[in-house]
Amino acid sequence: MRTVEDIITLLGGLEAAAQRCSIGTEAVRKWRQARVIPPRHWPAILAATGLSLAELPGAPETRAETTMPQPDNAPDTVPEGATACLVLGDGSVFWGAGFGAHTPAGATAVAEVCFNTGMTGYQETLTDPSYAGQIITFTFPHIGNVGTNPEDLEATTPVARGLVVKQDLTEPANYRSTRHLDAWLKSHDVPGIAGLDTRALTLRIRDGGAPNGVLCFPANGRFDLTALRAQAAGWPGLEGMDLAKEVSCRQAYAWSETEWAWPAGFGTQAAPKHKVVAVDYGAKRNILRCLAAAGLEVTVVPATATAEEILRHAPDGVFLSNGPGDPAATAAYAVPAIRAVMEQNVPVFGICLGHQLLGLALGGTTYKLDRGHRGANQPVKDLTTGKVEITSQNHGFAVDERSLPANVRVTHVSLFDGSNEGLAATDRPAFSVQYHPEANPGPTDSHYLFHRFVELIDKHKGS
């Protein structure tokens, strides 16, 4: 059996290994730490090196020595006091105490299990439409401490399929709280599980990628683990899944609300300077607020809007929103519309899924990240200014910058794994970023991008 270091050397070094496996160099460093290479990379490594499967660390012959540790509890025995479980696609079972809504028999929450490193803003996270199809593991232990309120919503209802936390939900201790998190989750039919070793689960996701999982919190306390394992193993995953249609608006509407400010709350844009159409692939409300606050009259249209339907509003610019799912699947209807809009030389600005779709429309490709970027502490370098920003992110796919044509330049890069975080066309007024400059939750280092969009519109109209 070869060591991980042997294989990295055979692949040509750290950067070459990352490129061959379509991952960042930080992921390769994790191979070294774990002394094992995740199975998803074996085909690329075998093709590049000519090694046999038996020579890879973690291959079936040696797997028993290198697999991630299993949960401590015997998986088919319900521990005393356990009222819920999280079952992963590999058959592993994590037991805990359920909260929020019960899962009806035969209708458990099946999804991709991811982790979020944010220390604040769990209500905004749970209502971010980009989390459709996902169960969120919060690495911060004190979830519930600020309660919930009707203002900290990024969508009308949460789309996350469940949440996993270390400790029992804490009592709210915030002057803005109007409802306990548990009651709020019940009202939206969202289940949760507490008492898990979230550190072990997070390491598992970090080293092996985001697994499929089933969160089960039955009212009768009965668990059919055979059926749960089959559900988790049989779920197809997010690759190839178009979820933007599920979370998008159904018809066009106007938006004028601006950002929240103490003590007045939300404001209203009464004197907009330009007209913008925002294509809703799962738009967070605070993105729309930031657009309005930047002096824009915002009209929101569904994800499936054609170029004709977008241009009918005579926009000075077009915004492409965040959203869930595989960009390559959403591209089937989104990319033709984006290309037709760009042919009219209308300024375009994209965020998150909108960034990925713009990359596809400009001729690039996308790929699924091993574990994704989710949290409010992600460092990104703006190559235009040389500044480093701490950003809020939530994405599991990325643009492959090696696929971008000559008329597209990279503008931002992740300082975690070197993946693409921004691009701009050199022959038309279009740019985008992978992260969330609107925050909520997160830092506001990147708010300037909304004003950069306005400046692009000003320049375009001036010429």
Side-chain angles (χ1 to χ4, degrees):
M1 182 187 70
R2 301 287 189 130
T3 66
V4 168
E5 200 61 46
D6 289 340
I7 291 172
I8 293 173
T9 300
L10 288 172
L11 291 171
L14 186 73
E15 293 186 0
Q19 290 177 356
R20 286 185 180 276
C21 295
S22 299
I23 56 178
T25 54
E26 185 61 27
V28 180
R29 293 189 182 98
K30 300 302 182 186
W31 297 358
R32 288 171 168 163
Q33 292 177 4
R35 290 180 292 188
V36 64
I37 298 174
R40 62 167 50 86
H41 303 312
W42 294 350
I45 292 170
L46 295 177
T49 63
L51 295 173
S52 66
L53 183 61
E55 294 179 272
L56 300 186
E61 289 80 359
T62 60
R63 195 71 176 159
E65 301 175 11
T66 54
T67 47
M68 292 295 296
Q70 296 296 309
D72 293 334
N73 304 115
D76 293 328
T77 302
V78 181
E80 184 178 354
T83 58
C85 68
L86 176 69
V87 181
L88 302 185
D90 64 1
S92 303
V93 182
F94 291 80
W95 295 100
F99 59 87
H102 285 290
T103 53
T108 48
V110 187
E112 178 180 273
V113 183
C114 65
F115 65 85
N116 181 289
T117 60
M119 297 177 65
T120 60
Y122 54 78
Q123 189 178 1
E124 293 97 322
T125 298
L126 289 165
T127 54
D128 179 351
S130 294
Y131 277 108
Q134 294 176 303
I135 295 170
I136 306 170
T137 303
F138 286 103
T139 61
F140 187 66
H142 306 300
I143 301 300
N145 55 341
V146 296
T148 64
N149 64 70
E151 291 185 323
D152 291 346
L153 301 172
E154 293 303 321
T156 304
T157 57
V159 296
R161 295 184 182 177
L163 67 156
V164 179
V165 299
K166 169 66 175 175
Q167 300 177 0
D168 291 339
L169 297 185
T170 53
E171 291 296 317
N174 185 279
Y175 77 100
R176 295 178 65 230
S177 176
T178 60
R179 200 175 196 185
H180 195 289
L181 176 58
D182 183 64
W184 182 80
L185 291 168
K186 283 184 171 70
S187 71
H188 291 295
D189 293 323
V190 178
I193 182 170
L196 275 70
D197 185 346
T198 52
R199 181 182 294 274
L201 181 58
T202 298
L203 291 173
R204 191 185 190 93
I205 297 169
R206 184 199 70 182
D207 294 338
N212 295 346
V214 175
L215 201 168
C216 183
F217 177 32
N220 61 8
R222 297 175 183 172
F223 301 89
D224 184 345
L225 292 178
T226 300
L228 293 174
R229 287 191 176 102
Q231 282 182 288
W235 194 65
L238 294 181
E239 284 192 83
M241 192 175 289
D242 173 25
L243 295 175
K245 286 180 181 177
E246 296 184 14
V247 298
S248 177
C249 61
R250 297 293 179 262
Q251 60 185 19
Y253 63 93
W255 181 277
S256 60
E257 186 176 83
T258 57
E259 298 168 89
W260 192 93
W262 190 88
F266 297 114
T268 301
Q269 176 55 263
K273 183 179 180 181
H274 303 299
K275 295 172 61 177
V276 164
V277 167
V279 185
D280 176 17
Y281 303 113
K284 291 175 63 179
R285 288 179 173 178
N286 208 52
I287 291 178
L288 303 179
R289 295 184 189 115
C290 287
L291 290 170
L296 301 173
E297 176 186 326
V298 182
T299 299
V300 185
V301 300
T304 55
T306 63
E308 180 182 4
E309 291 168 335
I310 294 170
L311 296 172
R312 185 181 300 157
H313 297 279
D316 300 312
V318 171
F319 173 77
L320 311 175
S321 86
N322 66 293
D326 188 340
T330 305
Y333 54 85
V335 163
I338 296 169
R339 284 176 175 166
V341 167
M342 288 194 295
E343 287 174 1
Q344 299 302 312
N345 211 32
V346 177
V348 174
F349 173 34
I351 285 176
C352 194
L353 179 60
H355 161 74
Q356 296 157 3
L357 293 172
L358 180 61
L360 290 168
L362 289 168
T365 60
T366 56
Y367 64 97
K368 194 173 192 306
L369 293 164
D370 276 345
R371 65 198 58 79
H373 298 168
R374 297 178 180 91
N377 56 352
Q378 309 275 330
V380 169
K381 185 173 183 178
D382 183 340
L383 301 180
T384 303
T385 64
K387 293 182 179 179
V388 174
E389 306 159 20
I390 302 303
T391 68
S392 179
Q393 300 197 19
N394 171 20
H395 63 102
F397 293 82
V399 173
D400 184 352
E401 63 182 47
R402 296 171 300 175
S403 69
L404 295 172
N407 65 326
V408 180
R409 65 183 179 90
V410 173
T411 60
H412 297 76
V413 64
S414 168
L415 295 184
F416 270 164
D417 61 11
S419 61
N420 179 260
E421 293 281 356
L423 57 85
T426 59
D427 58 352
R428 63 196 74 186
F431 75 102
S432 60
V433 292
Q434 178 63 79
Y435 52 94
H436 285 259
E438 85 291 342
N440 273 35
T444 58
D445 295 23
S446 308
H447 265 191
Y448 69 89
L449 290 166
F450 293 100
H451 299 287
R452 183 177 290 183
F453 184 37
V454 174
E455 291 169 1
L456 183 64
I457 294 173
D458 285 336
K459 181 179 178 181
H460 180 73
K461 290 180 73 173
S463 60

